[in-house]
């Protein structure tokens, strides 16, 4: 595995498998291609063994008992290729849908927080109270964003130490409110944080700290509601997997492809090396596309 890691690392360095500072873990890449490599190697060894038997032991037995029409293999490969490409394209679309929804969520809540802070500039309330409200708004929206990202990752937070995404001054939030949000048994943490922000807005509007007409203030609730809708739209992408019957059928066809490809390749390959190598490339490519689709789904 050490040589494979060095090899994949060299490919990653040459092909530039990084984007905007986010590089791909070489160890993770090696783990993902381990099963495709295993099946491709197994199929390649079968192909090489059959070709060796055909060239040096009994050519007639292979021709009479194993070799079949190449048209049948081409038809099977075309159907399998269509299914694999469709699976990959759907995963690619889900990938971009998830990115779009996440950026829409953060954009809605940034607009809401920015507008709230702007609304406090025309108030006649005490400066100390206004500054306290501004700090609380930033902290709550920062915590809200972190909770959303954790939920979309499928991770549960039971304490402050479990937070993996940056939060601005979480200790500045009231201890009772903070503990109620991060309690191990607290469900719907995002919804509770949204409700807490709404409560703060209404209380500060009643106290006169947020001094804007209600119709203008309602825009804040529209932005937050839009963010919640987009968050739930993004949640479905990790809660609902690709249809299981489709995956079962596809994986079954891939397993059959492992055994059909050697038989088809030895019909027109002349050497053992070319027979085994070409079979390895065909099977490895198909399995790598399946692995790629699984990565895009995450």
């Amino acid at each position: 595995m050490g040589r494979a890691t060095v090899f994949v690392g060299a490919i990653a360095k040459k092909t530039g498998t990084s984007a905007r500072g986010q590089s791909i873990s070489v160890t993770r890449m090696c783990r993902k291609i381990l099963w495709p490599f295993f099946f491709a190697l197994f199929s390649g060894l079968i192909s090489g063994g059959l070709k060796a038997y055909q060239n040096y032991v009994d050519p007639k037995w292979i021709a009479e008992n194993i070799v079949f029409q190449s048209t049948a293999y081409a038809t099977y490969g075309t159907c399998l290729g269509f299914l694999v490409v469709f699976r990959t394209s759907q995963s690619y679309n889900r990938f971009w849908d998830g990115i779009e929804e996440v950026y829409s969520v953060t954009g809605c809540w940034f607009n809401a927080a920015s507008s709230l802070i702007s609304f406090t500039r025309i108030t006649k309330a005490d400066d100390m109270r206004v500054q306290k409200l501004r700090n609380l708004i930033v902290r709550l929206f920062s915590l809200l964003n972190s909770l959303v990202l954790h939920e979309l990752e499928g991770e549960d937070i039971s304490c402050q130490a479990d937070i993996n995404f940056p939060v601005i001054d979480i200790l500045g939030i009231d201890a009772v409110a903070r503990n109620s949000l991060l309690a191990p048994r607290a469900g719907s943490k995002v919804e509770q944080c949204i409700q807490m922000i709404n409560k703060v807005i209404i209380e500060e509007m009643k106290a006169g700290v947020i001094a804007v007409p209600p119709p203008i203030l309602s825009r804040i609730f529209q932005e937050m509601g839009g963010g919640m809708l987009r968050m739930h739209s993004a949640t479905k992408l990790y809660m609902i997997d690709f249809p299981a019957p489709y995956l079962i059928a596809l994986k079954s066809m891939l397993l059959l492809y492992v055994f059909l490809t050697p038989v088809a390749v030895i019909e027109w390959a002349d050497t053992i090396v070319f027979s085994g190598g070409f079979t390895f490339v065909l099977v490895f490519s198909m399995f790598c596309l399946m692995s790629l689709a699984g990565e895009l789904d995450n």
Side-chain angles (χ1 to χ4, degrees):
M1 195 64 185
R3 292 184 178 180
T5 302
V6 174
F7 178 70
V8 175
I11 295 177
K13 185 177 181 180
K14 293 293 184 181
T15 57
T17 51
S18 62
R20 299 186 183 274
Q22 300 298 321
S23 59
I24 300 175
S25 172
V26 176
T27 304
R28 184 178 180 183
M29 288 178 61
C30 292
R31 290 175 180 174
K32 291 299 179 181
I33 68 173
L34 182 61
W35 282 110
F37 180 83
F38 169 77
F39 282 108
L41 181 63
F42 177 72
S43 184
L45 290 176
I46 293 177
S47 180
L50 290 175
K51 194 63 186 178
Y53 188 86
Q54 184 183 39
N55 289 346
Y56 302 109
V57 180
D58 190 358
K60 295 182 179 179
W61 187 89
I62 295 290
E64 294 174 356
N65 297 278
I66 295 182
V67 175
F68 59 91
Q69 291 293 327
S70 59
T71 306
Y73 174 79
T75 303
Y76 185 87
T78 301
C79 294
L80 178 60
F82 174 80
L83 293 177
V84 172
V85 170
F86 178 78
R87 163 84 169 103
T88 307
S89 65
Q90 292 300 308
S91 299
Y92 184 78
N93 292 334
R94 284 164 59 94
F95 170 77
W96 283 113
D97 288 343
I99 290 178
E100 182 180 357
E101 296 295 345
V102 168
Y103 275 92
S104 297
V105 168
T106 55
C108 286
W109 287 335
F110 175 82
N111 290 338
S114 177
S115 298
L116 278 174
I117 293 176
S118 300
F119 292 162
T120 61
R121 296 186 65 84
I122 59 174
T123 183
K124 296 180 181 180
D126 181 66
D127 291 341
M128 185 65 69
R129 181 166 183 176
V130 172
Q131 188 61 37
K132 182 179 179 181
L133 174 62
R134 291 173 179 172
N135 293 338
L136 181 60
I137 289 172
V138 172
R139 292 166 184 148
L140 287 177
F141 273 98
S142 177
L143 177 60
L144 175 63
N145 188 64
S146 179
L147 292 175
V148 168
L149 294 177
H150 275 287
E151 183 165 334
L152 293 179
E153 286 283 343
E155 300 175 352
D156 189 25
I157 301 174
S158 58
C159 63
Q160 182 179 335
D162 294 337
I163 299 178
N164 297 323
F165 296 97
V167 179
I168 299 176
D169 192 18
I170 188 174
L171 297 178
I173 302 174
D174 180 73
V176 176
R178 184 175 68 249
N179 293 333
S180 65
L181 284 175
L182 302 180
R185 295 184 180 181
S188 304
K189 292 181 173 64
V190 174
E191 287 78 4
Q192 289 188 45
C193 191
I194 286 284
Q195 186 62 29
M196 188 178 298
I197 294 174
N198 291 339
K199 178 184 176 183
V200 170
I201 294 173
I202 296 299
E203 290 177 348
E204 297 300 328
M205 182 189 69
K206 183 178 179 180
V209 181
I210 300 177
V212 293
I216 298 178
L217 185 61
S218 65
R219 182 66 182 174
I220 302 298
F221 296 106
Q222 294 177 10
E223 290 282 359
M224 295 178 65
M228 282 298 296
L229 289 175
R230 289 177 173 85
M231 189 210 74
H232 286 292
S233 179
T235 302
K236 71 182 180 183
L237 296 176
Y238 88 87
M239 293 187 64
I240 302 176
D241 294 328
F242 204 83
Y246 190 98
L247 291 178
I248 293 173
L250 183 55
K251 290 180 179 179
S252 300
M253 292 184 67
L254 276 173
L255 289 176
L256 186 58
Y257 186 75
V258 171
F259 296 97
L260 290 180
T261 302
V263 179
V265 171
I266 64 172
E267 183 179 0
W268 48 268
D270 294 330
T271 64
I272 298 175
V273 175
F274 182 79
S275 177
F278 195 73
T279 301
F280 177 89
V281 171
L282 291 176
V283 176
F284 186 73
S285 300
M286 284 291 185
F287 275 87
C288 280
L289 283 176
M290 276 292 295
S291 180
L292 173 63
E295 279 295 294
L296 291 175
D297 271 343
N298 185 17

